[in-house]
Amino acid sequence: MIPPGYLYKHVADRPEWLTAAHVADVYSFSGCVSKPFADYVDYVDYWKYNGYWLFNSPHEITELANAASISLEGLKLFYYEACTTNAGFGVRAVRRMCG
């Protein structure tokens, strides 16, 4: 397993256009529906992210959020794991952590 890193994200309610009635929340890796905290600041300027555009520790995110005056309140901390396959690189598992 490859440990790409951590990211605080907003967990979105199921959008109306998603017709899967059994889905209540969207825990997406991308920012299309569930926006990451970084959607609120251009964190590229801080050069704290790693080669996967994630962070190596929750502490790095907290430092950046404090420096940029971003509240992490209401956001969930995610730790991502990935694996390589014959088809290439892909996210295999996402685990929500306390946060």
Side-chain angles (χ1 to χ4, degrees), residues 4-61:
Y6 299 84
L7 191 61
Y8 274 95
K9 295 192 59 117
H10 167 76
V11 176
D13 294 334
R14 178 181 55 87
E16 290 184 22
W17 56 261
L18 183 59
T19 58
H22 60 283
V23 172
D25 303 320
V26 177
Y27 291 76
S28 66
F29 179 78
S30 74
C32 297
V33 177
S34 294
K35 303 292 183 193
F37 89 98
D39 234 31
Y40 310 105
V41 64
D42 187 5
Y43 69 99
V44 173
D45 293 339
Y46 292 88
W47 292 98
K48 298 283 186 182
Y49 58 89
N50 62 29
Y52 300 102
W53 292 79
L54 297 172
F55 296 83
N56 293 323
S57 73
H59 180 70
E60 288 180 359
I61 301 171

